[in-house]
Amino acid sequence: MSAVAAKVAADVAHGDSLWSKAQRKFRRDRVGLCALAVVLVYAVAALGVILGWWATEWADVSGPKWGPMSADHWFGTNIIGQDIFARALYSTRTAFEVGLIVALGATLVGALRGAIAGFFSATWMDEVVIWLMGVLDSVPFILLVAAIAYSLQGSPWAMHIAMIATFWITTARLVRGEVIKLKGLEFVEAAHAI
């Protein structure tokens, strides 16, 4: 029995699942825990804005022009007297929404295209996906996002679509490589042989 198989057998005997091991590792990762705390703070701020608990007065003109920081206006006011703190808090909703939709969409598109390219490796489908990734990688992504968003102007989803269209490439490369690796393992060949 190899060392890896002995380790897996010991983990199974102790009742350690992959989830419990990942959870234990994550609890020891201080940077990861700090990042999770920051994301949770932004999520709570965005949820509060969505539910109307705070920042409902973000568009109200309630202060003086270029007002300084005060108890009423924590970050001061802008040129027309709007509260900058309320506007910043309200913007977390949009930022969180765009970030979440783009991350999920890019992961889904990249995983799907990468899996197709990996499963059909060395065929025309793989060549098309690799060619598309190469073409999109050759254009600076900020210019590509700007061009796609400009071509879709008027659509409320223009920025989402533009960012998903450029951010899926890294996920597709990783998934393609993993699928090709898994295709070559012995248990897959044994399944094909059966």
Side-chain angles (χ1 to χ4, degrees), residues 90-106:
Y90 187 80
S91 69
T92 60
R93 170 188 176 189
T94 305
F96 204 76
E97 172 202 322
V98 170
L100 193 64
I101 290 173
V102 167
L104 293 175

Side-chain angles (χ1 to χ4, degrees), residues 8-178:
V8 170
D11 287 343
V12 169
H14 287 25
D16 276 350
S17 68
L18 288 175
W19 288 108
S20 64
K21 286 187 340 188
Q23 200 174 40
R24 232 182 5 260
K25 274 181 130 177
F26 185 67
R27 274 192 241 125
R28 285 190 224 125
D29 184 11
R30 293 194 191 284
V31 174
L33 289 174
C34 288
L36 178 64
V38 169
V39 169
L40 288 177
V41 165
Y42 276 105
V44 168
L47 186 64
V49 170
I50 290 168
L51 295 175
W53 292 343
W54 45 71
T56 55
E57 70 285 347
W58 67 275
D60 296 349
V61 178
S62 60
K65 177 180 170 182
W66 295 120
M69 292 188 297
S70 66
D72 293 334
H73 307 290
W74 291 3
F75 290 172
T77 59
N78 63 10
I79 192 167
I80 60 173
Q82 295 171 321
D83 188 6
I84 295 174
F85 179 74
R87 294 176 68 78
L89 196 57
Y90 187 80
S91 69
T92 60
R93 170 188 176 189
T94 305
F96 204 76
E97 172 202 322
V98 170
L100 193 64
I101 290 173
V102 167
L104 293 175
T107 301
L108 182 68
V109 169
L112 187 63
R113 287 185 180 163
I116 289 170
F119 188 77
F120 296 108
S121 61
T123 65
W124 68 270
M125 290 174 130
D126 184 33
E127 293 294 324
V128 167
V129 173
I130 289 174
W131 174 82
L132 186 60
M133 288 189 296
V135 166
L136 292 175
D137 266 347
S138 67
V139 179
F141 85 92
I142 292 177
L143 292 177
L144 191 58
V145 166
I148 294 170
Y150 182 76
S151 69
L152 296 173
Q153 77 187 132
S155 168
W157 298 95
M159 191 54 74
H160 300 78
I161 293 167
M163 292 171 78
I164 289 171
T166 57
F167 293 162
W168 64 270
I169 299 167
T170 304
T171 305
R173 286 190 200 285
L174 292 170
V175 170
R176 179 182 175 272
E178 283 298 314

